Amino acid sequence: MKLMVLACLASVAVAAPQHLDERDARHIAVLRDDRTDDGQGNYQYEFETENGISKSVVGRPGSAGGNVVEGFYTFTFPDGTVAEVRFTADENGFVAESPLIPETPAHSLQQIQTAEEQRRQGVTWDGQGRRLTR
């Protein structure tokens, strides 16, 4: 779950519009944009821009009726460091891997284990976080 939230935040940060002064605004050229789709749920796309952003994704039908998607994206920090995030998305959810994503703290793992145990016991909660069942 934490990885999904962090990956979403990273994607939003990378995709967020930059509020640039008109003097700093410039067109970023797409160097490569390759796409294939067989119409049966199998697809692939890759693109690369001149400012160091690239993405590569392969998708195929999954066994549970959804899609299985694997890929990676890269971007360059202002200091020139290249960041890479690899990901998969399937019937088990979205999982991102990168040195940019910190390890899950022990107290968070404990909270997740507690929530799983409560779920197994049938404990339910309302939308405000109040326990409905004992």
mmCIF file with all atom_site columns, all heavy atoms in Angstrom, residues 6 23 31 50 67 75-76 79 84 115:
data_model
loop_
_atom_site.group_PDB
_atom_site.id
_atom_site.type_symbol
_atom_site.label_atom_id
_atom_site.label_alt_id
_atom_site.label_comp_id
_atom_site.label_asym_id
_atom_site.label_entity_id
_atom_site.label_seq_id
_atom_site.pdbx_PDB_ins_code
_atom_site.Cartn_x
_atom_site.Cartn_y
_atom_site.Cartn_z
_atom_site.occupancy
_atom_site.B_iso_or_equiv
_atom_site.pdbx_formal_charge
_atom_site.auth_seq_id
_atom_site.auth_comp_id
_atom_site.auth_asym_id
_atom_site.auth_atom_id
_atom_site.pdbx_PDB_model_num
ATOM 1  N N   . LEU A 1 6   ? 3.347  6.034  -2.593  1.00 0.00 ? 6   LEU A N   1
ATOM 2  C CA  . LEU A 1 6   ? 4.568  6.738  -2.980  1.00 0.00 ? 6   LEU A CA  1
ATOM 3  C C   . LEU A 1 6   ? 4.745  6.801  -4.485  1.00 0.00 ? 6   LEU A C   1
ATOM 4  O O   . LEU A 1 6   ? 5.157  7.825  -5.036  1.00 0.00 ? 6   LEU A O   1
ATOM 5  C CB  . LEU A 1 6   ? 5.780  6.074  -2.339  1.00 0.00 ? 6   LEU A CB  1
ATOM 6  C CG  . LEU A 1 6   ? 5.905  6.290  -0.833  1.00 0.00 ? 6   LEU A CG  1
ATOM 7  C CD1 . LEU A 1 6   ? 7.043  5.456  -0.275  1.00 0.00 ? 6   LEU A CD1 1
ATOM 8  C CD2 . LEU A 1 6   ? 6.107  7.743  -0.509  1.00 0.00 ? 6   LEU A CD2 1
ATOM 9  N N   . ARG A 1 23  ? 10.012 33.404 -19.638 1.00 0.00 ? 23  ARG A N   1
ATOM 10 C CA  . ARG A 1 23  ? 11.390 33.395 -20.115 1.00 0.00 ? 23  ARG A CA  1
ATOM 11 C C   . ARG A 1 23  ? 12.011 32.003 -20.021 1.00 0.00 ? 23  ARG A C   1
ATOM 12 O O   . ARG A 1 23  ? 12.927 31.675 -20.750 1.00 0.00 ? 23  ARG A O   1
ATOM 13 C CB  . ARG A 1 23  ? 12.240 34.386 -19.307 1.00 0.00 ? 23  ARG A CB  1
ATOM 14 C CG  . ARG A 1 23  ? 11.816 35.836 -19.503 1.00 0.00 ? 23  ARG A CG  1
ATOM 15 C CD  . ARG A 1 23  ? 12.486 36.702 -18.493 1.00 0.00 ? 23  ARG A CD  1
ATOM 16 N NE  . ARG A 1 23  ? 11.910 36.340 -17.180 1.00 0.00 ? 23  ARG A NE  1
ATOM 17 C CZ  . ARG A 1 23  ? 12.349 36.771 -16.022 1.00 0.00 ? 23  ARG A CZ  1
ATOM 18 N NH1 . ARG A 1 23  ? 13.388 37.567 -15.968 1.00 0.00 ? 23  ARG A NH1 1
ATOM 19 N NH2 . ARG A 1 23  ? 11.779 36.423 -14.912 1.00 0.00 ? 23  ARG A NH2 1
ATOM 20 N N   . LEU A 1 31  ? 11.788 12.587 -28.458 1.00 0.00 ? 31  LEU A N   1
ATOM 21 C CA  . LEU A 1 31  ? 12.821 11.967 -29.296 1.00 0.00 ? 31  LEU A CA  1
ATOM 22 C C   . LEU A 1 31  ? 12.375 10.639 -29.885 1.00 0.00 ? 31  LEU A C   1
ATOM 23 O O   . LEU A 1 31  ? 12.796 10.269 -30.984 1.00 0.00 ? 31  LEU A O   1
ATOM 24 C CB  . LEU A 1 31  ? 14.099 11.757 -28.489 1.00 0.00 ? 31  LEU A CB  1
ATOM 25 C CG  . LEU A 1 31  ? 14.688 13.011 -27.834 1.00 0.00 ? 31  LEU A CG  1
ATOM 26 C CD1 . LEU A 1 31  ? 15.885 12.646 -26.969 1.00 0.00 ? 31  LEU A CD1 1
ATOM 27 C CD2 . LEU A 1 31  ? 15.059 14.034 -28.889 1.00 0.00 ? 31  LEU A CD2 1
ATOM 28 N N   . GLU A 1 50  ? 13.678 14.885 -24.756 1.00 0.00 ? 50  GLU A N   1
ATOM 29 C CA  . GLU A 1 50  ? 15.022 15.449 -24.720 1.00 0.00 ? 50  GLU A CA  1
ATOM 30 C C   . GLU A 1 50  ? 15.456 15.899 -23.324 1.00 0.00 ? 50  GLU A C   1
ATOM 31 O O   . GLU A 1 50  ? 16.644 16.086 -23.083 1.00 0.00 ? 50  GLU A O   1
ATOM 32 C CB  . GLU A 1 50  ? 15.137 16.618 -25.702 1.00 0.00 ? 50  GLU A CB  1
ATOM 33 C CG  . GLU A 1 50  ? 14.371 17.853 -25.284 1.00 0.00 ? 50  GLU A CG  1
ATOM 34 C CD  . GLU A 1 50  ? 14.555 19.005 -26.256 1.00 0.00 ? 50  GLU A CD  1
ATOM 35 O OE1 . GLU A 1 50  ? 15.580 19.045 -26.960 1.00 0.00 ? 50  GLU A OE1 1
ATOM 36 O OE2 . GLU A 1 50  ? 13.665 19.859 -26.310 1.00 0.00 ? 50  GLU A OE2 1
ATOM 37 N N   . ASN A 1 67  ? -5.710 -6.599 -16.638 1.00 0.00 ? 67  ASN A N   1
ATOM 38 C CA  . ASN A 1 67  ? -4.446 -6.565 -17.376 1.00 0.00 ? 67  ASN A CA  1
ATOM 39 C C   . ASN A 1 67  ? -3.276 -6.754 -16.426 1.00 0.00 ? 67  ASN A C   1
ATOM 40 O O   . ASN A 1 67  ? -3.358 -6.435 -15.245 1.00 0.00 ? 67  ASN A O   1
ATOM 41 C CB  . ASN A 1 67  ? -4.270 -5.226 -18.083 1.00 0.00 ? 67  ASN A CB  1
ATOM 42 C CG  . ASN A 1 67  ? -4.987 -5.187 -19.400 1.00 0.00 ? 67  ASN A CG  1
ATOM 43 O OD1 . ASN A 1 67  ? -5.887 -5.960 -19.651 1.00 0.00 ? 67  ASN A OD1 1
ATOM 44 N ND2 . ASN A 1 67  ? -4.595 -4.272 -20.249 1.00 0.00 ? 67  ASN A ND2 1
ATOM 45 N N   . PHE A 1 75  ? 13.492 9.741  -14.977 1.00 0.00 ? 75  PHE A N   1
ATOM 46 C CA  . PHE A 1 75  ? 13.526 11.193 -15.116 1.00 0.00 ? 75  PHE A CA  1
ATOM 47 C C   . PHE A 1 75  ? 14.832 11.677 -14.509 1.00 0.00 ? 75  PHE A C   1
ATOM 48 O O   . PHE A 1 75  ? 15.496 10.964 -13.765 1.00 0.00 ? 75  PHE A O   1
ATOM 49 C CB  . PHE A 1 75  ? 12.310 11.867 -14.468 1.00 0.00 ? 75  PHE A CB  1
ATOM 50 C CG  . PHE A 1 75  ? 12.151 11.579 -12.996 1.00 0.00 ? 75  PHE A CG  1
ATOM 51 C CD1 . PHE A 1 75  ? 12.675 12.430 -12.040 1.00 0.00 ? 75  PHE A CD1 1
ATOM 52 C CD2 . PHE A 1 75  ? 11.460 10.445 -12.576 1.00 0.00 ? 75  PHE A CD2 1
ATOM 53 C CE1 . PHE A 1 75  ? 12.528 12.162 -10.692 1.00 0.00 ? 75  PHE A CE1 1
ATOM 54 C CE2 . PHE A 1 75  ? 11.303 10.166 -11.230 1.00 0.00 ? 75  PHE A CE2 1
ATOM 55 C CZ  . PHE A 1 75  ? 11.843 11.023 -10.285 1.00 0.00 ? 75  PHE A CZ  1
ATOM 56 N N   . THR A 1 76  ? 15.191 12.899 -14.834 1.00 0.00 ? 76  THR A N   1
ATOM 57 C CA  . THR A 1 76  ? 16.460 13.446 -14.383 1.00 0.00 ? 76  THR A CA  1
ATOM 58 C C   . THR A 1 76  ? 16.217 14.572 -13.382 1.00 0.00 ? 76  THR A C   1
ATOM 59 O O   . THR A 1 76  ? 15.443 15.489 -13.651 1.00 0.00 ? 76  THR A O   1
ATOM 60 C CB  . THR A 1 76  ? 17.270 13.988 -15.583 1.00 0.00 ? 76  THR A CB  1
ATOM 61 O OG1 . THR A 1 76  ? 17.400 12.920 -16.533 1.00 0.00 ? 76  THR A OG1 1
ATOM 62 C CG2 . THR A 1 76  ? 18.644 14.454 -15.152 1.00 0.00 ? 76  THR A CG2 1
ATOM 63 N N   . ASP A 1 79  ? 20.095 18.137 -10.536 1.00 0.00 ? 79  ASP A N   1
ATOM 64 C CA  . ASP A 1 79  ? 21.552 17.974 -10.385 1.00 0.00 ? 79  ASP A CA  1
ATOM 65 C C   . ASP A 1 79  ? 22.139 16.989 -11.402 1.00 0.00 ? 79  ASP A C   1
ATOM 66 O O   . ASP A 1 79  ? 23.338 16.708 -11.379 1.00 0.00 ? 79  ASP A O   1
ATOM 67 C CB  . ASP A 1 79  ? 21.908 17.540 -8.962  1.00 0.00 ? 79  ASP A CB  1
ATOM 68 C CG  . ASP A 1 79  ? 21.461 16.111 -8.629  1.00 0.00 ? 79  ASP A CG  1
ATOM 69 O OD1 . ASP A 1 79  ? 20.857 15.437 -9.496  1.00 0.00 ? 79  ASP A OD1 1
ATOM 70 O OD2 . ASP A 1 79  ? 21.717 15.675 -7.497  1.00 0.00 ? 79  ASP A OD2 1
ATOM 71 N N   . GLU A 1 84  ? 15.142 6.104  -11.547 1.00 0.00 ? 84  GLU A N   1
ATOM 72 C CA  . GLU A 1 84  ? 14.390 5.068  -12.248 1.00 0.00 ? 84  GLU A CA  1
ATOM 73 C C   . GLU A 1 84  ? 13.429 4.403  -11.285 1.00 0.00 ? 84  GLU A C   1
ATOM 74 O O   . GLU A 1 84  ? 13.784 4.100  -10.144 1.00 0.00 ? 84  GLU A O   1
ATOM 75 C CB  . GLU A 1 84  ? 15.325 4.021  -12.839 1.00 0.00 ? 84  GLU A CB  1
ATOM 76 C CG  . GLU A 1 84  ? 14.563 2.920  -13.577 1.00 0.00 ? 84  GLU A CG  1
ATOM 77 C CD  . GLU A 1 84  ? 15.475 1.944  -14.291 1.00 0.00 ? 84  GLU A CD  1
ATOM 78 O OE1 . GLU A 1 84  ? 16.158 2.375  -15.238 1.00 0.00 ? 84  GLU A OE1 1
ATOM 79 O OE2 . GLU A 1 84  ? 15.505 0.773  -13.881 1.00 0.00 ? 84  GLU A OE2 1
ATOM 80 N N   . ALA A 1 115 ? -4.203 -4.307 11.474  1.00 0.00 ? 115 ALA A N   1
ATOM 81 C CA  . ALA A 1 115 ? -5.390 -4.127 10.636  1.00 0.00 ? 115 ALA A CA  1
ATOM 82 C C   . ALA A 1 115 ? -5.789 -5.441 9.970   1.00 0.00 ? 115 ALA A C   1
ATOM 83 O O   . ALA A 1 115 ? -6.981 -5.772 9.893   1.00 0.00 ? 115 ALA A O   1
ATOM 84 C CB  . ALA A 1 115 ? -5.131 -3.052 9.584   1.00 0.00 ? 115 ALA A CB  1
#
